[in-house]
Amino acid sequence: MRNLVKLAIIGLAVLVAQTASAQEMLQIKGSDTLINLVQKLSEEYMKKYPSNYVAVTGGGSGTGVAALINQKCDIANASRLMKPKEIKMAKDNGVTANRIVIAMDGLSVIVNPENPITQLTKDEIGAIFRGDVKNWSEIGGPDMPINMYGRQSNSGTFVFFQDYVLKGDYSAKMNRMNGNAQIVEAVKSDKSAIGYVGVGYVKDATGLTVVSVASKRGGEYASPLNSADVKSGKYPIARPLNQYVAGIPEGAIRKFLEFELSPEGQRIVEEEGFFPIPSEYEEFNSQVGL
Amino acid sequence: MKAIALTDNPPKRLFSTAFKDKCVHAVFFINGMLVVLLLGGIFLLLIQTSIPAFQEVSIVEFLTSTNWNPTSYVKASYGIIPMLVSTFMVTVGALAIAIPIGIGAAAYLSDVASPRVREILKPTIEMLAAVPSVVIGFLGIVFVGPLIAKFFNIYNGLNAINGSVLLAVMALPTIISISEDALSSVPYSYDQASLALGATKWQTVIRVKIPAALSGIIAACMLGMGRAIGETMTVLMATGCAPAMPEGFPFEAFLGSVRTLTSSIAIELGEVAYNTTHYYALFALGLVLFVITFVINLISDIILHNFEKVHR
């Protein structure tokens, strides 16, 4: 009899604990570029509000968006915009996807320090990754083949870079790496390498050259490490980093988003190497009531 | 005496012994059939999900094109040749490394090592099979890759050779363990006869025991090959995964990036929109992979079966 009571109490406790965590556990999924930042944000958030739980997982922007469409997560991290096809698929599933911008990223093009190249135009970068330019000597570098390192097709960075810089297909010879950190490691050890990663991954990295980029030939070169140039748009491959939610955010989701956009959250954004949102996107966020 | 007493009052039992026997028989039969059903189910599912892909992609393009780019900006293309070639290269490379080492180690274990050494060594080798593939892939990036780059004096080590080396490591436990079993089961009279004829220990192992155990050794190598072809995470991490057709056989190709069937599925299935041609095409890749491993396993099974018959 006593055992039975014990068992009942344990069972009840487990049940209560489960329902409690199910209510409070916020699921965030997606972009590999955003994962470190959002993880840090969620840690600070949980320190501030200990009764709230946030789980952050990666997998790439495409994975996050797919999870939002299938109602498998509360917030999708995306370093690209949702495609019209995805928005339609979400609608068909009864999900109205709303976009919130939480930070700015200067997408950084990196080369090995042994390579004398320190600046490139946007067109040159596009030509390299399309495979039109195959040797560093064609753009004023030493005579060695260009070894490209990019992301896999489930990456938002892969899609953004393609849409915005390449405007064409990636060279089939580009190495498809499994995350920003792998690209950084590969470029460090390969002197013929070129790669692209979120600025958060190069801020403190040594053994890399972060290339300055001009929007066109004869234009002014700007570095993604200079926050003023990224904010003003002088750095040509700056992009907003987004989160998508279903409908107008409420409750725990809203509380977390508000934290991200607060001065405290934006300070963490800067600490992680990204840039706070400019005023144009603040207005944009206010459309969903944030 | 007691046995008689038991059979004296059978009506008291709820079920007869014969009925119980039947039940137990049925349970085990269902268990056995379940595996067959699962296999058949997977095969049917793969076929069913692959077929829609060929409404938009011609089978000829699928099997002959050297360009795989379903997310193309201009025109999606679905050719599996580069991936088949990549899978083939990595597997052949792995076997070229693993077979000599594996058979050598097996011969050492069965004929040279003292019983104590063998007792420690064999379980240790089998433990190697328990290392998770993602850990081996990680070693490929941080250790094997830079080593290969230095050795061949190339810019980076994420290439087919890297994949081959790692897969060889993963196939070794299978090859060594089964080959050793095959060598140990060669009757001792073979050894004695060979030694009595004046052969050295080396000659006995190379000319008598290995030929006698050959079918078992071949089966071991085939099983190792099945392991290598199906491996995903390791090759995904260590081979660079560029989808281009490997060029310049053999050296340039092996020193270049490759992308196997398995890594393509792993990379693209995570983000593909459901029920699109791309989605179905990935299942078609899975079907091709399934057929390849099925045939290899079947062949190794037949060889192993013959081997058992010979020695009984």
Side-chain angles (χ1 to χ4, degrees), chain B residues 53-96:
Chain B
F54 298 108
Q55 289 171 350
E56 281 184 45
V57 187
S58 78
I59 292 191
V60 178
E61 187 203 336
F62 187 72
L63 293 176
T64 59
S65 165
T66 56
N67 190 5
W68 173 269
N69 190 358
T71 51
S72 168
Y73 228 59
V74 196
K75 186 182 174 298
S77 49
Y78 299 88
I80 65 165
I81 294 294
M83 288 176 278
L84 274 181
V85 172
S86 297
T87 302
F88 182 73
M89 279 168 59
V90 173
T91 310
V92 167
L95 291 180

Side-chain angles (χ1 to χ4, degrees), chain B residues 80-148:
Chain B
I80 65 165
I81 294 294
M83 288 176 278
L84 274 181
V85 172
S86 297
T87 302
F88 182 73
M89 279 168 59
V90 173
T91 310
V92 167
L95 291 180
I97 300 167
I99 289 179
I101 298 178
I103 296 179
Y108 170 77
L109 280 178
S110 78
D111 287 270
V112 185
S114 69
R116 244 192 89 194
V117 171
R118 183 178 340 162
E119 261 166 46
I120 299 169
L121 220 52
K122 206 175 174 197
T124 313
I125 288 169
E126 279 160 7
M127 285 252 279
L128 190 61
V131 179
S133 54
V134 66
V135 173
I136 296 195
F138 183 70
L139 286 178
I141 293 176
V142 300
F143 178 68
V144 181
L147 215 64
I148 288 171

Side-chain angles (χ1 to χ4, degrees), chain A residues 142-155:
Chain A
D143 179 23
M144 60 180 171
I146 298 177
N147 231 329
M148 296 157 280
Y149 293 90
R151 296 285 303 281
Q152 297 169 351
S153 58
N154 54 351
S155 149

Side-chain angles (χ1 to χ4, degrees), chain A residues 179 256 260:
Chain A
F256 182 69
E260 289 182 317

